[in-house]
Every structure is written in structure tokens, then in C-alpha cells.
Amino acid sequence: MMQKIVTIERFILENQPQHAVGDFTNLLYDIALAAKLIAHKTTRAGLVDILGRAGATNIQGEEQEKLDVYADQIMFRLCDHTGRLCVMASEEHKNIVEIPEEFPKGRYVLIYDPLDGSSNIDVNVSVGTIFAIFRCVDWEKRGRLEDCLQPGRKLVAAGYVLYGSSTMLVYSTGNGVHGFTLDPEIGEFLLSHENMTMREPPGYYSVNHSYFGRWSTGVQEYVRWLQGRNKSEIVLSERYIGSLVADFHRNLQKGGVFLYPAETRKPNGKLRLLYEAAPLAFLAEQAGGYASNGRMPILDIEPTSLHQRVPLFIGNRPLVEMAEELIAQHDPLPPDHPTNDQ
Ligand code: FDP
């Protein structure tokens, strides 16, 4: 028996709240269209002369790939003139990305990492786009930095696009996590994974082990525990792609935990709170999981700057809570230290 075929457009429309005026629904369409355009390029990356460095460096000091630049521009150009956004922020830009004066301003804030895991592009490993949507703090004003610096708890939607063996768009508007697979023949995202939840018992843990010697005692103890040592009875396999969206997506489906902890050379870890950790934390909680910086929920952290980094532990709730427990036990904070370990 063939399954019911539901396009992303129909799914978004059918699931929009009754009071919705269409802005939010259309914003999700815009992102789905951007995803198709970016997927079109990434799947041809080996065929056209687009691989290689663009020459510029982004504000993290990393060299940008050409596809980063392309993905960033596509997101901006599809969303700047629609009247749905008051401001944007992209991982590729130092400052907020303003809506040009000639266009009307809208009620939403779009934060995105146009192409995460870009060091993997040259070697044909999956990469992803991550997005997060807030409401504007003050609807009267044009977008400002404070519209972007909101804690993850205030997200109205978040999601990612995974450019892998197929292209998938996974998103949540706070009503479960739903995944759509792009049918390249007809150019439509079709509902393929409704109500995704973190599988129990979990299957995997994901971490870059080469930093082991630079982690705190608590994190080292935790990784030993994940490996089934330290009296733990869990049986997990290790899988680490080094492309956050791909690692998260696997663990979302198979159950598990991904961690990028602080280490001596990166005291706040590597991943960005607004572009990576908060949107994925929102999805994790919607899927029954949890995300923490090791001491508090990622979603409760109040951002203080656009490109702020944060240690990240994300996955099945009991696995992440064990990280918090072992860190509290082995890595005591000095009394005057802010609990918010950013
Ligand atoms: P990349 O540097 O390739 O862009 O946030 C960036 C990120 O990839 C994540 O996608 C990935 O999880 C992480 O960095 C990998 O970092 P390590 O190489 O230090 O493991």
C-alpha cells in the first residue's frame, strides 16, 4: 500500500495555528526554497568549478568555501524583501544583517548558519544549514541586535537542512519534530519522518576524541562512562562525522549524545550558541531529548553576543543529565563563578 503523500507546503499550511496570518508559514516556505537552491548546488559541487576557497575569511577567522558564500546569499536574497522579517543574523556576518530600508519590515527574526560543517565540503561529506526563528522584541522598531540576542526558550521555530545521500529538511514549530525528504525529480520536500523522537535505548555517542587530554576531569569521566567504563552499563558505539547537522541527525534517529565540550584551548567550546546550539537544543527538546552546556539548559542561556560560543552536550535526556551530574561532581566552580558557563 502506498503511503499518503504530503508536501512540506501542505504540511505547514495544515499545521499553522488558526490565528496565523501567513507570514510565518511563508517564511518557512522561503527557507524550504532556499534549501532546494542550496541542495542543487551542493549536489553538483563535484561537477562544477565551485570547490575550493573563496579567498575571504569569515569573522571566526576561518576560510570560507564558495558554497558558504552562495548559501549565505541565497538565504539573504530570498528573505530580505518579503516583509516577514525585521532582521537577520548569519554566522558568516560579523554584525546583524539588516532588512534594506526600501523593503517593509516584518515581525520575525531569522538566524542562520548557511552551511555548517564546511570543512567537509571538499571531501563530499554531508553538510547542513541550521535556522532559528524568533519574534521581534519590539514590533514597532526596525530590527536591532537585541532582537537576535534572545534565549532559545523564546524560539518559535528551528530546523536544519541536511545535504547528505538525500536532502532532508527537519523542523519544529514547537509541536513535534518533522522531517521531509527532497524528491529531486519533482523538486518537492515530502513528509518522510513525522513526529521524530530520540530513540530509547540510545545507540551512539559522538565526540572528537583527539581533545581528550584537554578536557576537564568531569568531561573525561563522562566520556569514560559513555564508553561503558566507570561502572556504567550502557552500550554505545562511537560515531563522529565532524559535521554537526549530520551527527545530530543520526543521533536524533538512532538515539545518542553529541558533545563538543570546553577544552583548554577552547574554554567555551567551538560551537555557536545562536547559530548551532540553541536551534538544535530546541529540536532536541521537541524530540524528547535535552541539551546542556554541562551545567544548565542551552535554551535558558541569555546570549550576550552574536557569535558567542558554548560547550554543548545534546541528545537523549538521561545521557545529557549524566554529563551534568559528572561535571558537577568533578569540576566544582569557584563560588563567584557565573553558573552560566559561557
Ligand atoms: P566545521 O568546522 O567543518 O564548520 O561548527 C563547525 C563544525 O564544523 C561542526 O559542524 C562540527 O561538529 C565541528 O565544527 C567539528 O569540529 P572539530 O573538527 O574540532 O571536531
Side-chain angles (χ1 to χ4, degrees), residues 77-251:
R77 284 170 47 208
L78 274 173
C79 298
D80 67 338
H81 58 282
T82 58
R84 304 192 236 286
L85 296 178
C86 66
V87 69
M88 290 182 251
S90 159
E91 204 223 274
E92 297 297 330
H93 294 260
K94 185 172 180 222
N95 299 315
I96 57 168
V97 179
E98 289 175 9
I99 302 301
E101 285 290 334
E102 66 261 38
F103 300 130
K105 92 165 213 38
R107 296 179 297 156
Y108 293 101
V109 179
L110 176 64
I111 307 225
Y112 59 91
D113 182 353
L115 214 56
D116 187 75
S118 52
S119 63
N120 291 302
I121 294 170
D122 282 347
V123 288
N124 207 359
V125 168
S126 304
V127 289
T129 298
I130 307 175
F131 61 90
I133 301 171
F134 292 109
R135 284 194 186 85
C136 286
V137 174
D138 185 340
W139 293 8
E140 298 295 311
K141 300 204 170 84
R142 286 195 88 82
R144 296 164 301 160
L145 180 61
E146 63 199 82
D147 291 307
C148 300
L149 298 184
Q150 301 191 53
R153 284 277 170 232
K154 297 211 167 145
L155 282 168
V156 289
Y160 59 82
V161 186
L162 174 64
Y163 311 100
S165 47
S166 54
T167 299
M168 271 195 78
L169 192 154
V170 175
Y171 82 94
S172 175
T173 54
N175 201 6
V177 179
H178 311 290
F180 301 80
T181 303
L182 181 64
D183 181 334
E185 300 287 315
I186 59 168
E188 287 281 6
F189 278 106
L190 302 178
L191 180 63
S192 51
H193 298 68
E194 196 168 5
N195 275 318
M196 299 170 83
T197 50
M198 299 259 177
R199 199 184 76 177
E200 283 287 352
Y204 298 112
Y205 76 98
S206 315
V207 66
N208 188 337
H209 268 284
S210 59
Y211 306 130
F212 191 93
R214 305 206 293 261
W215 293 330
S216 67
T217 311
V219 173
Q220 289 179 341
E221 285 299 303
Y222 178 55
V223 172
R224 287 196 189 97
W225 181 84
L226 290 171
Q227 291 168 334
R229 299 194 272 169
N230 288 2
K231 298 189 199 129
S232 76
E233 286 175 6
I234 52 168
V235 183
L236 298 173
S237 275
E238 199 213 345
R239 293 281 187 287
Y240 186 72
I241 299 168
S243 188
L244 179 62
V245 174
D247 278 309
F248 178 80
H249 184 71
R250 182 202 48 249
N251 292 355

Side-chain angles (χ1 to χ4, degrees), residues 42-63:
T42 51
T43 50
R44 277 164 181 72
L47 298 173
V48 292
D49 184 26
I50 196 159
L51 282 181
R53 312 285 169 185
T57 50
N58 69 14
I59 69 124
Q60 323 288 343
E62 298 156 345
E63 265 189 274

Side-chain angles (χ1 to χ4, degrees), residues 277-319:
L280 296 186
F282 181 81
L283 291 171
E285 289 207 3
Q286 283 295 315
Y290 176 47
S292 168
N293 66 356
R295 300 190 188 273
M296 68 181 287
I298 291 287
L299 293 181
D300 289 339
I301 299 175
E302 297 273 349
T304 51
S305 68
L306 271 185
H307 294 274
Q308 165 177 354
R309 296 177 197 262
V310 70
L312 177 65
F313 301 78
I314 187 165
N316 290 52
R317 182 169 279 277
L319 294 180

